[in-house]
Amino acid sequence: MKLSPFSIQNYIPQTPIIIAGPCSAETEEQTLTIAQALAQQGIRIFRAGVWKPRTKPGGFEGIGSEALHWLKRVKTETGMFVATEVATGKHVEECLKAGIDLLWIGARTSANPFAMQEVADALQGMDIPVLVKNPVNPDLELWIGGLERLYNAGITRLGAIHRGFSSYEKKIYRNQPQWHIPIELHRRLPDLPIICDPSHIGGNRELIAPIAQQAMDLGFDGLIIETHHTPENAWSDAFQQITPAYLKEICEHLIIRDAYFSTEDLGYLRRQIDACDHELIELLGKRMRISREIGLYKKEHNMTVLQTKRYGEILNKLAHQGGECGMNEDFIRNIFEAIHEESVRQQLQSISLP
């Protein structure tokens, strides 16, 4: 894909580019109040959800088209650019008619090729920046496929939003960052701007600052952060929204690295290593939780902890796989012997529980 410059970014001398505003436009007063507070801080792009896809029916699903008039007021009264999420061709048509400056496509929509094609068809021939969030599940090809559908419709001012990936397990993050996926996206499409969404990755306002800093350390182009004047009263995603004052504090303390995404930059490569190490720790934690469950099962069925024959077979298989990946087989054996030792300790600990 030969991308055009991401024009809104060109108009705004901010590094990184900051997109902020409430998860949902709830009332006209709420929308204008937040926008005015952000404008006073120099934020140039205001975001607000107009249509909100919810997991289950009955929740707040957005005000709908009426809220587009509120965004027009934000644009007129503050001079900010305005952005919202679209999921259907009708959404696109209404946003274009209302003069919305930037559109983004959510994770549920980007996971559905039929929905992506409908949006792409509605945007055919239009000249507007569009950001595409990663699909709900960690599928890089699906993410790229969604971007390609828009590109094939003539949209060349494209960007991506990394909002993390869903997991059925409860972890520290609402959505797992899996940083290696946006890193690979950048390797494949080096001219594509990538924005990080720490609000949806963390799901908790206390995690937004460290996630935002990690995104900057990895060379992301900007941040999209849910901001509300009274987050505790928000009609959707209250736990992950922050106040304009806290957003200002986060932005003031961000450390912006000189190095941009570059495969020749040692600092960038080291940050990739850090991201991999973080994921290894999470995977090992998951493995040990399973080991404890195995220990409880063995306790209930009066089984011994050690299953020597199975251990030997697994070790040989993993050593061979490591060799095929270019690693020394003795190195792999040493690693998995240590992992097995800790797994046995975890099982024994489970068995000793009353």
Side-chain angles (χ1 to χ4, degrees):
M1 291 190 292
K2 189 174 182 180
L3 302 175
S4 301
F6 193 65
S7 63
I8 282 188
Q9 189 177 19
N10 295 342
Y11 297 150
I12 299 173
Q14 287 179 320
T15 303
I17 187 169
I18 304 294
I19 304 171
C23 172
S24 304
E26 300 165 357
T27 66
E28 189 168 15
E29 180 183 7
Q30 169 251 14
T31 303
L32 268 294
T33 297
I34 298 169
Q36 288 162 358
L38 292 172
Q40 289 173 6
Q41 295 180 13
I43 303 299
R44 297 299 312 284
I45 306 180
F46 180 79
R47 59 138 292 154
V50 172
W51 301 279
K52 300 297 299 179
R54 312 309 296 173
T55 301
K56 294 181 179 180
F60 175 62
E61 296 185 334
I63 295 296
S65 304
E66 180 185 351
L68 293 174
H69 299 293
W70 309 342
L71 295 184
K72 287 177 69 174
R73 277 197 64 188
V74 168
K75 187 174 177 177
T76 300
E77 296 181 19
T78 69
M80 301 172 81
F81 295 102
V82 291
T84 197
E85 178 180 346
V86 294
T88 69
K90 188 174 186 296
H91 292 169
V92 171
E93 292 170 7
E94 294 193 35
C95 286
L96 293 174
K97 189 182 299 183
I100 301 301
D101 298 293
L102 183 151
L103 306 177
W104 81 82
I105 298 171
R108 291 178 174 89
T109 307
S110 66
N112 183 338
F114 293 110
M116 283 300 300
Q117 190 59 55
E118 179 185 338
V119 171
D121 291 343
L123 285 166
Q124 186 79 43
M126 296 295 107
D127 184 25
I128 184 171
V130 181
L131 300 172
V132 181
K133 287 195 173 186
N134 61 260
V136 174
N137 295 317
D139 189 333
L140 177 59
E141 300 305 325
L142 192 59
W143 197 0
I144 293 175
L147 289 160
E148 287 178 343
R149 289 178 187 277
L150 294 169
Y151 181 80
N152 292 340
I155 303 298
T156 57
R157 289 191 282 158
L158 290 169
I161 298 177
H162 173 48
R163 49 81 77 190
F165 303 92
S166 294
S167 171
Y168 67 90
E169 293 182 318
K170 285 190 175 182
K171 294 186 178 180
I172 185 173
Y173 301 115
R174 176 181 178 182
N175 295 294
Q176 303 310 302
Q178 299 198 39
W179 297 105
H180 66 282
I181 295 178
I183 286 171
E184 176 61 15
L185 176 66
H186 178 78
R187 190 189 71 79
R188 302 259 204 106
L189 302 172
D191 296 327
L192 182 76
I194 304 180
I195 308 295
C196 180
D197 181 351
S199 304
H200 279 89
I201 290 176
N204 181 332
R205 64 179 60 93
E206 294 180 2
L207 296 174
I208 290 176
I211 294 170
Q213 183 60 60
Q214 190 164 6
M216 294 301 96
D217 291 344
L218 288 168
F220 278 60
D221 297 275
L223 302 166
I224 180 168
I225 298 178
E226 293 187 348
T227 312
H228 197 291
H229 65 309
T230 55
E232 64 279 3
N233 298 322
W235 295 2
S236 57
D237 286 348
F239 292 116
Q240 66 190 42
Q241 299 195 63
I242 60 174
T243 63
Y246 187 31
L247 175 67
K248 180 180 180 182
E249 182 181 337
I250 289 174
C251 292
E252 288 176 345
H253 287 86
L254 279 178
I255 299 171
I256 309 302
R257 313 295 178 186
D258 292 333
Y260 185 65
F261 273 119
S262 170
T263 54
E264 297 177 358
D265 174 19
L266 182 59
Y268 168 63
L269 294 174
R270 284 172 173 166
R271 291 191 288 276
Q272 287 192 59
I273 290 289
D274 291 343
C276 289
D277 289 345
H278 179 80
E279 291 184 26
L280 282 172
I281 292 296
E282 287 204 338
L283 284 172
L284 286 171
K286 177 179 179 180
R287 192 186 194 282
M288 295 309 160
R289 287 194 294 274
I290 296 171
S291 293
R292 291 193 291 273
E293 292 177 13
I294 290 173
L296 291 173
Y297 180 91
K298 289 178 178 179
K299 177 182 180 180
E300 293 171 1
H301 293 82
N302 198 29
M303 296 170 64
T304 60
V305 168
L306 288 175
Q307 306 286 320
T308 308
K309 182 180 178 182
R310 170 175 161 76
Y311 171 59
E313 292 172 351
I314 291 174
L315 197 59
N316 289 332
K317 178 182 177 182
L318 292 171
H320 179 69
Q321 288 178 347
E324 291 183 333
C325 292
M327 292 178 283
N328 184 281
E329 292 192 10
D330 288 338
F331 164 72
I332 296 298
R333 288 179 187 276
N334 290 336
I335 286 178
F336 279 93
E337 283 174 358
I339 291 174
H340 180 259
E341 181 179 346
E342 177 62 14
S343 294
V344 170
R345 191 188 71 81
Q346 296 278 347
Q347 289 188 41
L348 289 171
Q349 188 178 48
S350 295
I351 288 174
S352 65
L353 293 173

